Amino acid sequence: MNTALWSAQILLAVLFLVSGSLKVSMRKDRLIATGQTGVAPFPPAVIKTTAVCELLAVAGLLLPRLTGVAPLLTPLAAVGLALVMVGAVTSHGSLLRADRAAGRGSREAVNVAANLVILALCVFVAAGRF
């Protein structure tokens, strides 16, 4: 079980390191163009704040367990990322509904599914590390 939890933590850390780095370094229009369409409804300040939170959570997923200092921070980081993913699922779901209402094809269903998988990983880590 410990191996599965570490694997999930490392996978989440890599995913959110990439996501947070892109969000902190790219403009909103560029993020959307590269496929991070979930940021569309949010102002740049919210996107940047989310990016910083994601990057801090990366440290929280790994460092407390590696160092043995404040290991409670690991499941708390996973809970925080789960909340981010609830927002991502909601955002992509809203975009999917809008695309369907307008009769447009959309990749948002894939984004919703991917975000649900990431959300499940966050919940797995949180539950396993509490």
Side-chain angles (χ1 to χ4, degrees), residues 9-25 31 36 38-39 42 45-63 73-74 76-89 92 115 118 122:
Q9 286 170 243
I10 291 167
L11 177 60
L12 287 171
V14 169
L15 286 171
F16 283 102
L17 180 63
V18 171
S19 177
S21 297
L22 291 175
K23 286 177 188 149
V24 86
S25 65
L31 284 168
Q36 289 206 23
V39 301
F42 301 104
V46 171
I47 297 167
K48 300 297 182 200
T49 301
T50 302
V52 170
C53 290
E54 288 177 357
L55 294 172
L56 290 171
V58 167
L61 283 172
L62 301 176
L63 294 178
L73 293 177
T74 296
L76 293 177
V79 167
L81 289 173
L83 293 173
V84 168
M85 295 316 300
V86 167
V89 168
H92 286 288
N115 285 313
I118 297 167
C122 292

Side-chain angles (χ1 to χ4, degrees), residues 105-127:
S106 176
R107 283 190 34 91
E108 294 303 326
V110 173
N111 291 336
V112 169
N115 285 313
L116 286 170
V117 169
I118 297 167
L119 172 61
L121 278 175
C122 292
V123 170
F124 172 69
V125 170

